[in-house]
Amino acid sequence: MKIDHDSLKKIAHLAKLHVKPEEEAALLNSMDNVLTWMEQLNEIDTEGVEPLTHIMDEVNSWREDSGNNMLTREEALANAPSQDGTYIKVPKVIE
């Protein structure tokens, strides 16, 4: 399939693209290469080939969600730049 200037202008209009005149030749050549490649793909015999929804058959393995207290309060407060003995102090954000 060959794309002409009128088809290119129609496609550009539908895609809401502004194609400069100096870009038309390169764009026509590029689109022609894509269509030639698509025609080659259409020639491949795919009879009996199952369509794929995913490349691999791997399935997510979800772990049980469980809460763990990795740090004690004292250990967490020891790493805080500012704390009051019970909570970590942070700068005021909203005035």
Side-chain angles (χ1 to χ4, degrees):
M1 178 179 202
K2 193 77 170 165
I3 293 187
D4 58 357
H5 286 281
D6 293 333
S7 298
L8 176 65
K9 288 182 182 184
K10 183 177 180 180
I11 293 169
H13 174 73
L14 291 172
K16 303 212 182 300
L17 297 174
H18 175 70
V19 179
K20 297 177 184 173
E22 60 269 12
E23 296 173 337
E24 284 184 8
L27 192 56
L28 282 170
N29 187 32
S30 177
M31 291 176 78
D32 188 48
N33 288 339
V34 169
L35 291 176
T36 302
W37 182 68
M38 291 301 294
E39 288 173 356
Q40 290 175 356
L41 288 178
N42 286 334
E43 295 173 3
I44 297 173
D45 180 25
T46 58
E47 189 68 34
V49 177
E50 289 289 324
L52 291 176
T53 56
H54 292 74
I55 299 254
M56 304 174 113
D57 291 331
E58 292 183 15
V59 179
N60 289 336
S61 57
W62 302 101
R63 66 172 171 79
E64 185 64 32
D65 191 16
S66 60
N68 297 355
N69 287 331
M70 303 297 280
L71 293 175
T72 65
R73 178 181 297 188
E74 291 76 26
E75 290 172 330
L77 290 174
N79 292 321
S82 177
Q83 47 99 2
D84 67 358
T86 306
Y87 300 106
I88 296 173
K89 293 168 96 177
V90 295
K92 184 177 179 181
V93 177
I94 300 174
E95 293 186 36

